[in-house]
Amino acid sequence: MKYIVVGLGSFGASLAEKLTEQGNEVIAIDTSMNKVDTYKERITHTICMDATDEFTVSGLPLNDTDMVIVAIGEDKGANVMTTALFKNFQVKRLISRAIDDLHEKVLHAIGVDEIVHPEEESAERWAKKLCLKGVVDSFELSDDYSIVEVNVPARFDGKTIKEINIREIYNLLVLTTIANTEIKSIVGKTRNVTKVKGVASPNNVLNKDDILVVYGANKDIKKFLKDD
């Protein structure tokens, strides 16, 4: 089997080494030349490159690769962008590492085949929540851009994503929606179940109990929430 492992942190490096030891061909990628040099004798191939660069990634043997594992853990922005890039190249099987619940939902929306939850002894959870009304969860892609999970404003109830004009008015992109459903057990107890609806479509109808996962500039997100 042929694998591409992106990210030579403790999890990615350990995985790439074990796959190599089992006789697989592994291409391990990291932006750190020191890490690439450290593991070059223990992994089939190690390459220093930026996996968020489309032109560079297009030069990899993607058609001959059985599986791509995005093991980037510290930089969630790079993880999401790298995962989306490999998804766009339609690799045979794509697995990505999730750091928290919102990150996992975004990866599901992108369409990864499987989510990995490695032990997080050394991982740093640095996502901060926006202290604004309506925000359920969030994480930063950079100092200026974030992905946030927000409650659907009441004014959007019953409208489609196209009708609310969120892209035109606020310059925000809806990645997916999450449905909150209350179900009752056979003994009469109720509990809330959340379900990610997949990649957002302009024709998706919003419900006031749903959650929107949106991407954009922090200033635009603040404006959107302030208008609620």
Side-chain angles (χ1 to χ4, degrees):
M1 297 278 283
K2 297 182 179 180
Y3 297 84
I4 292 176
V5 177
V6 185
L8 285 173
S10 58
F11 169 69
S14 176
L15 177 62
E17 283 187 272
K18 290 178 180 178
L19 290 172
T20 301
E21 290 170 1
Q22 293 172 7
N24 300 290
E25 184 176 354
V26 181
I27 297 175
I29 297 167
D30 201 279
T31 55
S32 168
M33 194 65 216
N34 288 334
K35 290 182 179 179
V36 168
D37 283 339
T38 298
Y39 295 105
K40 66 181 181 181
E41 300 298 329
R42 291 178 268 173
I43 300 170
T44 317
H45 310 285
T46 54
I47 302 174
C48 184
M49 61 173 278
D50 180 4
T52 66
D53 181 85
E54 183 175 1
F55 177 78
T56 305
V57 171
S58 67
L60 294 171
L62 301 178
N63 291 335
D64 297 327
T65 300
D66 298 295
M67 189 182 305
V68 176
I69 303 102
V70 180
I72 300 170
E74 294 180 355
D75 188 339
K76 287 183 281 190
N79 178 295
V80 170
M81 289 186 284
T82 299
T83 302
L85 188 55
F86 279 101
K87 183 65 178 179
N88 286 341
F89 279 115
Q90 299 180 337
V91 294
K92 295 175 183 176
R93 187 177 179 190
L94 179 61
I95 296 175
S96 191
R97 175 181 182 176
I99 304 304
D100 54 37
D101 290 341
L102 177 58
H103 188 188
E104 180 175 351
K105 290 168 186 173
V106 172
L107 294 176
H108 277 304
I110 291 172
V112 299
D113 299 303
E114 189 175 345
I115 305 293
V116 174
H117 298 280
E119 294 180 357
E120 299 179 4
E121 297 87 16
S122 61
E124 296 181 4
R125 182 168 182 167
W126 50 267
K128 76 169 186 177
K129 294 187 178 182
L130 298 177
C131 298
L132 291 169
K133 178 184 176 183
V135 173
V136 179
D137 204 350
S138 71
F139 71 83
E140 297 178 339
L141 294 179
S142 69
D143 291 338
D144 299 316
Y145 290 87
S146 298
I147 292 175
V148 296
E149 192 177 27
V150 301
N151 293 316
V152 171
R155 67 185 187 276
F156 293 160
D157 185 31
K159 295 183 178 180
T160 65
I161 292 175
K162 182 179 181 180
E163 288 174 332
I164 66 175
N165 290 325
I166 192 172
R167 183 69 180 269
E168 293 76 12
I169 299 174
Y170 299 102
N171 198 32
L172 298 176
L173 177 65
V174 178
L175 297 177
T176 189
T177 56
I178 303 169
N180 277 315
T181 306
E182 188 177 84
I183 63 172
K184 184 176 291 187
S185 70
I186 57 174
V187 294
K189 291 185 177 181
T190 60
R191 62 187 178 93
N192 288 323
V193 176
T194 59
K195 181 180 180 181
V196 179
K197 294 184 177 180
V199 178
S201 163
N203 297 321
N204 287 154
V205 177
L206 301 175
N207 183 287
K208 60 181 176 61
D209 295 322
D210 288 349
I211 293 171
L212 284 175
V213 180
V214 301
Y215 160 78
N218 293 334
K219 61 181 180 63
D220 294 325
I221 293 170
K222 291 177 181 178
K223 183 178 186 301
F224 169 70
L225 293 170
K226 187 178 179 180
D227 286 351
D228 186 18

